[in-house]
Amino acid sequence: MGNSLPWVHAATPLTLADKELHVWRAELDLPTTLRQRMASTLTSDETGRAERFLIARARERFVAGRGILRQLLGMYLELDPAKVEFCYGPEGKPSLSTVHSSNLSFSVSHSGRMALFAMCGGAELGVDIEEVKSDFKGMQLASHFFSEKEIAELAKLPPKLVNEAFFECWTAKEAYVKARGQGLSIPLRSFTVEFGHREQLLRDGDGRQWICNALEPAPGFAGAVVAAGEGWTLRRYEWSTGVEVEASVPLPK
């Protein structure tokens, strides 16, 4: 299950070639000094959202996630992270403000200590990550949210593989819904994804094509990224906890 290709550090400045899809993974449990530096780039609204978390670790991870997003977008836009501005769709999906005059699209997801950040140019996309829980009742939840075909495929698996497969399927479905930008208005059981496929093509009700890539963000985590269209080159990057991203060679095509 999942995708075992490596995650690498990226050279700066960051650029997106045509039909390139960049996915970054990052640890959210940051050293205090680094997290404070991230906090200094947040707006007052974002700081207010952080303060509403009653659990300290959840608050700290929100700050880290938002700060890392701002740093990454700042590197793509060649802009101070604190100056990145957002706007939000009807379902709350964030995007870059039109003040940036950029076609850069992004999507963010976090679970526990890990986060994924997806970037591409000029296309709708969605990313999702989930921590795989060994005591999770995957079949029980699947009966409420998966299609009949998905439920049947899940039932064929040995019990020890059910939860891993459930989260692989769940993240693909969630990433697709995020990419569509319509939230819960798209029932998860209204479409089917295949198990065990590193890459697959999905079609919506209007016949539009969406490419779905399974990811293995870290041991014990499942993830997926979905982008509109096909012909994408996927590159996986590791966000560094240093002041700048360490230089390295990106993954081959």
Side-chain angles (χ1 to χ4, degrees), residues 40-162:
S40 69
T41 68
L42 270 55
T43 64
S44 58
D45 286 346
E46 291 168 329
T47 300
R49 288 178 60 186
E51 291 173 348
R52 288 195 288 273
F53 286 94
L54 300 180
I55 300 174
R57 176 166 290 184
R59 181 167 58 250
E60 292 166 356
R61 286 173 173 173
F62 173 83
V63 170
R66 201 68 174 191
I68 294 170
L69 173 63
R70 284 183 165 277
Q71 187 186 66
L72 289 174
L73 291 174
M75 287 190 287
Y76 282 103
L77 299 172
E78 298 185 56
L79 186 69
D80 183 333
K83 295 182 179 179
V84 174
E85 296 186 25
F86 301 104
C87 59
Y88 297 87
E91 298 293 331
K93 184 178 181 179
S95 60
L96 283 176
S97 168
T98 55
V99 301
H100 296 302
S101 300
S102 171
N103 71 341
L104 179 65
S105 299
F106 67 90
S107 181
V108 182
S109 180
H110 59 85
S111 179
R113 62 181 176 81
M114 295 295 300
L116 291 178
F117 305 83
M119 312 281 175
C120 74
E124 300 133 296
L125 81 163
V127 71
D128 192 61
I129 182 173
E130 297 290 343
E131 186 171 5
V132 178
K133 301 175 177 63
S134 59
D135 59 347
F136 191 78
K137 305 297 183 182
M139 279 302 304
Q140 183 176 337
L141 196 61
S143 67
H144 294 287
F145 295 102
F146 284 9
S147 70
E148 291 184 4
K149 182 179 179 180
E150 290 164 343
I151 294 170
E153 291 298 315
L154 200 62
K156 295 177 184 178
L157 297 175
K160 65 179 181 179
L161 297 180
V162 167

Side-chain angles (χ1 to χ4, degrees), residues 183-197:
L184 296 177
S185 65
I186 302 177
L188 292 181
R189 66 188 313 160
S190 68
F191 62 96
T192 298
V193 299
E194 301 292 336
F195 288 88
H197 289 254

Side-chain angles (χ1 to χ4, degrees), residues 195-243:
F195 288 88
H197 289 254
R198 197 175 96 185
E199 182 179 295
Q200 60 184 294
L201 192 65
L202 304 175
R203 293 182 184 272
D204 61 28
D206 297 324
R208 294 183 65 197
Q209 297 179 335
W210 303 78
I211 197 71
C212 175
N213 282 273
L215 306 167
E216 189 177 302
F221 289 83
V225 61
V226 171
E230 51 184 331
W232 293 97
T233 297
L234 174 64
R235 300 196 185 278
R236 301 160 183 79
Y237 294 114
E238 176 95 40
W239 181 82
S240 170
T241 57
V243 176

